[in-house]
Amino acid sequence: MTLHPPQQPMTGHEATVLGRDDEIERILRCVAREPGTPQTLLLLGGEGTGRTTVLRHVRERAAADGVLVLSAQGWAEDPGHAHACLRQLLTPQVRGELAALPAAQQHALTALPGADDGDRAELHAAVTALLDRLAAARPVLVCVDDADLCDRAFLEALLTAARLLPGRALTVLLAARHEADLPGPPPGSETLRLGPLGDAPAAALLDRQPAAPTGRRRLEILAEAEGNPLALVELSRGVPGPTGATRHPLTEHVFGVRLDALPARTRRALLYAAAAGPGETVGAVMAALGTGDLAVWAPAEAAALVVLVEDRLDFRHPLARSAAYLRRPAGERQQAHRDLAKIAVLPEARARHLAATTVGPNAFVAALLGDSAWRRGDAVAATTALEQAARLSPQQPVRVRRLAEALTAAHMVGDPGWVRELHGRLVQESADPEHVCAAAGALASVLSQESAQREAFEVLADAAEHFPVIDRTHALALAGLAAAIADQSGLPEHTAALSTLLDRARRAHGSGRWHPAAAGPLVRLDTPHTRRALEALVTAVARPESATGSHSGLGRPQDAPHTDPYTSPGGSDAPPTGPYTSPGGSDAARPTGPGTPPDAPDAARPTGPGTPPDAPDTSPATPDAPAARVVLAAVARHADEADVDLGQSRTADDRLRTARAFGLRGWSVLPLVDTLLAIGRFPEAETVIQDALAEAEMLRLPRLQADLEAQALTVQALRGTLTEAPRLTPAVWRAVCLDENRATHARLLRARGLAALALGDVEGSWRQLRELFAADGAPLHPHLSARSIAELAVAAQRTGRSAEVVPILERVRAEQGERPSTRMTLLLHHAAAMVGPDSEADEHFELALVNHAAGRWPWERGQVRFDYAIRLRRRRRTLEARRQLTTVLETAERLGAGALAAAARIELRASGAAPAPKSPGPLEELTAQQRQIVQFAASGLSNREIGERLFLSPRTVGSHLYNVYPKLGISSRHQLRDLVQDQ
């Protein structure tokens, strides 16, 4: 029996299918008979992957375009009936065409044929003649669902017709679970495979369900379903309803039929395998079972419930795992966990199984859960373990402490529902200032990432009354969070209140201990260096003019020279190295090992109740926790120290992504992308954006989604890949109040301005960029608006509005203070050259280019050279213009700045320069193995399928693709396919 997800409510094309855009568009291109598209398509996918939903959507779209759609579906109950599927195609409209066919063919289509070859040949001829006649009048799409359950004669007749009618507007689409069950398709056919949904569409599908789960349970279902649409729908039905009654998944009974037919010992083995969880070895499960006989799994393999490969056992469907576990009595499940706990090697696995056997409070199990929570370095697993530890803790003070730890970990995860749930429980159980402030910080963080900056800042302002009686590091961390919120909001009242918050934080008692209730291993901030950085961050946001220079040493050791990886010989773009970022972004000096958390506290650091307040701080001078790196990067960013900023941000982002700590990553990923855009790392920026956007969509954080969409539009504009007016997601932007999210507004205005310029709309570009400043020249955002002053000046000069920008430029120059950063000096000279007195333009251009330190911003420097070259050419200084344009073109091609490169080529031709020889395609820069992987991926193969052909593991294939995407300037398989086709 084939399983299908329940029909989704249809309110338009977007409401019917999630995560299948590439497959649907490919099919529709075939239906439209675009050049190079196949006539026969096979759509393959396992149970519950949404084949029927995709087919329904394709049929509706095709019918709306005037295509004649003929549909059939195979049935397991009668696979041998030759007319079972054929009769479904003979609709009244089709039957009206039968009279035009010869009598023998009419008989073959309407009568039950025999089994001899002559009857089958007549059937093939009849189906071919009928489809030929229909396709002569209008395009025809034949859709067959569950084709593997149709009679073979029918399928052979369809495929024969497709092979014999290559010139007709006929498309045959067969959907099935396995290709092996189908006749051989005609040459040139294409196979599309439906794999698991991505994180974002899987979350969107889950959120559509009635009484959709929230918080921890929502994340658990997403993990358990493994992207299978049917599993997402059915597992959500097991969520407790309003009355507390649990609805069991309907398909549990479908898999239950297969399970009930198995021998008792096999059902018991499957229970243990399901209880062990993904990743456990077969050897461990069998040790818990007390048997070494692999034959115990044979009936389950024969029933297509599991697959056994070497020492790994995988359930073929997430619902099979769920049914194998939930259909057994509670006592048997408890015994399974008890037996698995006995053989568990890892402390976290032992703690998890013991917790599953525990009904009431148990201090021992709670301690095991708490102590091992962070061993895997995974924020989701840590939050789950700490929440269980709090539930099992019998003593109220310990329970509250662990609940605070769970809330802090949940804030790292970034799921608003989970944070609010734990926040409500903590504030009800404790009035301790440390706990109140920890709760305030977690809530304020998710409020900000959702969009509510005013509410988030108010939460922290209310908590600040407790600052004098909590740990100083904790208070400074909350003040730093308030500064980040103020920077996001851009509201003057928030900026003005920061000095008061910082003064209160400085008055906090200096215990020198960063309490576990307010921190996890990812957010360790208890070093003097990091505390100074937190103060510097608050000061930089409160007084932007103080950022440049005064705190630039915080990101690097005091005795280290200022290395510049962007101006090394040959224009190398090697990542910065130093004491904080060893080669490859690793941290060689940090202790590692199987039992070491990702950010284990250093043993040399004296901590504990007996530590005197003024004990010497023997912890490392270089902070290692990702949160500390985020703080240092933020300080460096406000000072325009790109090398320090990028080194710290990259390392923090990589470790937070690995730890599934998007709640923290959300504070670093947007500034990281801003920096990557500023220095011209466009392919890397695009990769980071796509990865983070999927996380933000999955966690339902609209403000972060909006920022990332704006940054994605900026990348498209700068890379020259925009082909039409930009489209943003309306639902996301409706959820964001731009008035209290001025950083988001500034990113949007710049993105739209650059997009308009890329599409040739100079007036539109001016209108968008002009809104970055008020009528009196006040910046919309104190930091981001100023960094767009040169782009505004260029738009003004091209639209004849230079005079309007002069007072804005003067205000920006004054607000930068006496010592503008190297970057701002570059931008200010560029702007002055564009809108200032013509007699001073050459001097400003030369001053912008003379400082070699400005090479850290190669794209912005390239823009200066480009505009200078235009001026030189128009003043008939052609040779000088060519030299500048040649440098611009080299820089733009190296950075992948397609828009700038195209403009430079036009100007070079206008200056009389001969066109440069065409450079080799990007695929030629890859290794032979990488090109093989790219070709297979572009053809639609999965990582596992590619690995089987090249004798590589799926993980190795994924690693190669991850490294190849930035080299090719792409971020998805859809773009990869287009690039390979273009090549």
Side-chain angles (χ1 to χ4, degrees):
M1 180 174 182
T2 301
L3 306 178
H4 302 294
Q7 302 295 305
Q8 302 173 16
M10 296 167 54
T11 58
H13 290 155
E14 294 77 12
T16 57
V17 180
L18 289 167
R20 304 302 190 195
D21 293 345
D22 290 350
E23 293 86 352
I24 290 172
E25 290 306 316
R26 180 59 178 168
I27 295 171
L28 291 174
R29 286 169 60 188
C30 295
V31 173
R33 305 299 297 130
E34 293 186 7
T37 57
Q39 195 167 15
T40 304
L41 284 153
L42 305 183
L43 183 66
L44 304 180
E47 291 174 314
T49 53
R51 298 188 314 272
T52 300
T53 303
V54 170
L55 287 184
R56 187 182 73 249
H57 189 76
V58 167
R59 291 197 304 266
E60 292 172 355
R61 292 274 298 272
D65 292 337
V67 176
L68 174 61
V69 179
L70 306 179
S71 300
Q73 182 171 17
W75 297 97
E77 289 78 2
D78 196 11
H81 187 185
H83 271 207
C85 292
L86 179 58
R87 283 178 176 174
Q88 296 177 56
L89 299 185
L90 301 180
T91 62
Q93 180 180 1
V94 175
R95 287 182 180 274
E97 300 291 333
L98 294 181
L101 300 180
Q105 292 181 352
Q106 293 183 43
H107 177 75
L109 292 171
T110 57
L112 187 64
D116 60 294
D117 293 340
D119 289 339
R120 180 164 294 194
E122 191 65 47
L123 177 63
H124 292 184
V127 171
T128 301
L130 176 62
L131 293 177
D132 183 32
R133 181 172 181 81
L134 293 172
R138 58 192 291 197
V140 175
L141 169 64
V142 181
C143 286
V144 182
D145 197 5
D146 292 324
D148 48 329
L149 301 179
C150 288
D151 59 280
R152 198 169 186 86
F154 168 72
L155 295 177
E156 290 175 349
L158 277 183
L159 296 176
T160 298
R163 185 174 65 253
L164 297 177
L165 300 173
R168 287 298 193 192
L170 169 67
T171 304
V172 176
L173 175 58
L174 306 181
R177 283 175 293 178
H178 309 293
E179 187 173 7
D181 298 328
L182 301 175
S189 301
E190 183 174 325
T191 300
L192 300 177
R193 288 177 171 82
L194 295 180
L197 293 176
D199 290 342
L205 177 58
L206 180 60
D207 294 338
R208 285 185 181 179
Q209 306 311 308
T214 59
R216 175 179 58 83
R217 182 57 185 153
R218 178 175 179 268
L219 296 182
E220 287 176 345
I221 290 177
L222 288 172
E224 186 177 352
E226 299 175 355
N228 184 277
L230 178 65
L232 288 163
V233 172
E234 298 298 346
L235 289 174
S236 70
R237 293 177 175 173
V239 179
T243 62
T246 300
R247 300 187 300 275
H248 295 285
L250 296 178
T251 49
E252 176 189 321
H253 305 297
V254 175
F255 285 99
V257 172
R258 302 187 201 174
L259 288 165
D260 292 343
L262 300 176
R265 69 178 195 137
T266 301
R267 293 200 301 270
R268 178 171 177 264
L270 291 176
L271 166 62
Y272 277 61
E280 189 60 88
T281 65
V282 174
V285 175
M286 297 188 72
L289 283 167
T291 180
D293 185 7
L294 286 173
V296 71
W297 306 106
E301 290 184 282
L305 290 170
V306 298
V307 58
L308 187 64
V309 180
E310 295 180 349
D311 198 29
R312 190 182 75 248
L313 182 140
D314 294 324
F315 282 85
R316 289 185 177 272
H317 199 283
L319 291 177
R321 179 190 298 277
S322 175
Y325 185 79
L326 292 177
R327 287 180 67 83
R328 309 314 303 162
E332 291 185 22
R333 299 200 300 266
Q334 185 183 49
Q335 185 60 47
H337 284 291
R338 188 176 292 118
D339 292 338
L340 288 165
K342 291 177 183 178
I343 58 91
V345 176
L346 298 176
E348 62 270 26
R350 181 167 179 255
R352 179 173 64 85
H353 289 303
L354 287 177
T357 68
T358 305
V359 178
N362 187 308
F364 174 73
V365 176
L368 285 179
L369 286 166
D371 293 343
S372 63
W374 281 103
R375 276 184 51 88
R376 289 170 51 191
D378 184 282
V380 176
T383 308
T384 301
L386 290 168
E387 186 178 3
Q388 282 185 303
R391 177 178 59 83
L392 296 177
S393 298
Q395 296 181 345
Q396 197 268 351
V398 179
R399 181 171 65 252
V400 169
R401 174 175 62 81
R402 287 177 175 149
L403 189 59
E405 294 173 355
L407 173 58
T408 302
H411 138 257
M412 298 179 207
V413 173
D415 184 273
W418 206 353
V419 169
R420 285 189 171 90
E421 177 186 336
L422 293 174
H423 174 273
R425 289 166 55 187
L426 180 59
V427 296
Q428 283 183 352
E429 291 202 32
S430 176
D432 179 86
E434 289 280 2
H435 297 156
V436 170
C437 288
L443 181 61
S445 179
V446 297
L447 284 170
S448 174
Q449 292 178 350
E450 286 181 312
S451 174
Q453 308 308 323
R454 286 190 171 92
E455 185 180 355
F457 197 89
E458 184 179 350
V459 167
L460 291 178
D462 291 343
E465 66 182 54
H466 299 292
F467 281 7
V469 295
I470 67 172
D471 179 80
R472 182 177 298 165
T473 302
H474 191 181
L476 286 172
L478 293 176
L481 176 60
I485 293 171
D487 189 49
Q488 167 60 29
S489 75
L491 295 172
E493 59 266 31
H494 288 173
T495 304
L498 288 178
S499 297
T500 302
L501 293 180
L502 181 58
D503 289 342
R504 290 185 180 180
R506 285 169 171 164
R507 291 199 299 270
H509 68 78
S511 68
R513 292 186 297 110
W514 183 226
H515 291 201
L522 296 178
V523 293
R524 186 185 176 208
L525 302 170
D526 56 338
T527 68
H529 195 78
T530 308
R531 285 192 286 270
R532 289 198 302 272
L534 284 166
E535 293 191 40
L537 174 61
V538 178
T539 302
V541 177
R543 294 186 290 111
E545 72 281 359
S546 69
T548 305
S550 59
H551 307 298
S552 60
L554 284 169
R556 60 170 63 87
Q558 299 298 324
D559 57 347
H562 183 99
T563 58
D564 189 353
Y566 310 111
T567 56
S568 57
S572 171
D573 286 328
T577 60
Y580 305 142
T581 53
S582 58
S586 63
D587 301 286
R590 192 171 62 84
T592 59
T596 307
D599 296 280
D602 299 274
R605 171 79 171 114
T607 59
T611 305
D614 298 319
D617 191 341
T618 58
S619 59
T622 57
D624 184 62
R629 293 181 181 275
V630 171
V631 173
L632 293 174
V635 176
R637 187 174 307 110
H638 279 83
D640 284 326
E641 295 281 354
D643 53 343
V644 177
D645 176 10
L646 193 60
Q648 299 288 1
S649 293
R650 273 177 169 160
T651 304
D653 187 72
D654 181 63
R655 291 170 65 180
L656 291 173
R657 183 177 62 251
T658 301
R660 294 199 293 172
F662 193 77
L664 290 182
R665 192 182 176 212
W667 289 107
S668 66
V669 70
L670 299 177
L672 169 60
V673 173
D674 284 338
T675 301
L676 290 171
L677 293 177
I679 64 176
R681 300 292 185 85
F682 304 136
E684 183 179 351
E686 195 166 35
T687 300
V688 173
I689 289 170
Q690 295 303 321
D691 178 76
L693 190 57
E695 291 278 358
E697 290 175 3
M698 191 267 288
L699 292 169
R700 296 181 294 190
L701 300 172
R703 195 267 294 173
L704 286 178
Q705 288 179 250
D707 275 303
L708 289 163
E709 283 194 358
Q711 290 177 325
L713 178 57
T714 301
V715 173
Q716 289 179 298
L718 297 179
R719 300 198 69 186
T721 57
L722 275 177
T723 57
E724 58 182 9
R727 290 182 294 180
L728 303 172
T729 307
V732 169
W733 290 91
R734 283 196 299 268
V736 178
C737 175
L738 294 178
D739 179 59
E740 60 180 292
N741 287 277
R742 298 187 178 183
T744 304
H745 196 186
R747 290 188 180 100
L748 174 63
L749 291 172
R750 181 180 183 238
R752 284 179 166 171
L754 294 176
L757 190 62
L759 295 173
D761 182 7
V762 183
E763 284 289 336
S765 177
W766 159 259
R767 288 194 299 272
Q768 296 294 332
L769 294 172
R770 180 62 183 84
E771 289 189 42
L772 287 166
F773 298 89
D776 62 354
L780 173 68
H781 187 273
H783 181 81
L784 296 177
S785 291
R787 270 69 186 171
S788 295
I789 185 62
E791 292 159 346
L792 176 64
V794 170
Q797 190 265 347
R798 294 184 184 180
T799 57
R801 296 183 174 89
S802 297
E804 188 174 341
V805 176
V806 171
I808 298 176
L809 174 60
E810 292 302 321
R811 179 163 180 165
V812 171
R813 182 184 288 121
E815 290 176 348
Q816 295 305 305
E818 297 180 357
R819 298 175 58 191
S821 67
T822 301
R823 181 189 179 193
M824 280 308 303
T825 300
L826 172 76
L827 297 175
L828 290 170
H829 279 304
H830 187 188
M834 299 303 295
V835 300
D838 186 72
S839 60
E840 300 175 5
D842 287 358
E843 180 182 3
H844 281 297
F845 276 125
E846 294 292 345
L847 288 172
L849 296 173
V850 72
N851 189 348
H852 290 292
R856 284 176 285 172
W857 295 275
W859 179 78
E860 291 176 342
R861 203 179 192 201
Q863 290 284 356
V864 177
R865 289 188 185 277
F866 177 75
D867 288 324
Y868 189 23
I870 292 176
R871 175 179 173 82
L872 292 172
R873 184 178 66 80
R874 291 177 179 173
R875 295 173 71 86
R876 301 184 182 279
R877 296 162 62 181
T878 308
L879 291 178
E880 294 176 74
R882 287 180 190 172
R883 283 197 295 270
Q884 295 290 347
L885 289 169
T886 300
T887 303
V888 171
L889 183 57
E890 292 173 353
T891 299
E893 288 180 340
R894 174 168 56 85
L895 298 177
L900 181 58
R905 291 190 191 98
I906 293 173
E907 286 296 323
L908 273 170
R909 285 195 295 270
S911 69
K918 186 176 181 180
S919 59
L923 293 179
E924 298 303 319
E925 301 177 8
L926 306 181
T927 66
Q929 187 178 66
Q930 287 175 334
R931 285 197 296 273
Q932 278 186 301
I933 292 173
V934 164
Q935 293 289 350
F936 282 135
S939 69
L941 296 184
S942 67
N943 289 0
R944 184 177 298 278
E945 291 167 331
I946 297 171
E948 290 172 352
R949 298 194 181 196
L950 299 180
F951 303 100
L952 300 172
S953 71
R955 184 183 297 273
T956 300
V957 173
S959 176
H960 276 299
L961 289 174
Y962 180 81
N963 292 326
V964 161
Y965 282 1
K967 294 180 183 179
L968 300 180
I970 60 174
S971 59
S972 70
R973 292 202 180 209
H974 178 69
Q975 294 173 309
L976 182 64
R977 183 174 64 246
D978 293 341
L979 184 145
V980 170
Q981 289 175 347
D982 292 341
Q983 291 292 308

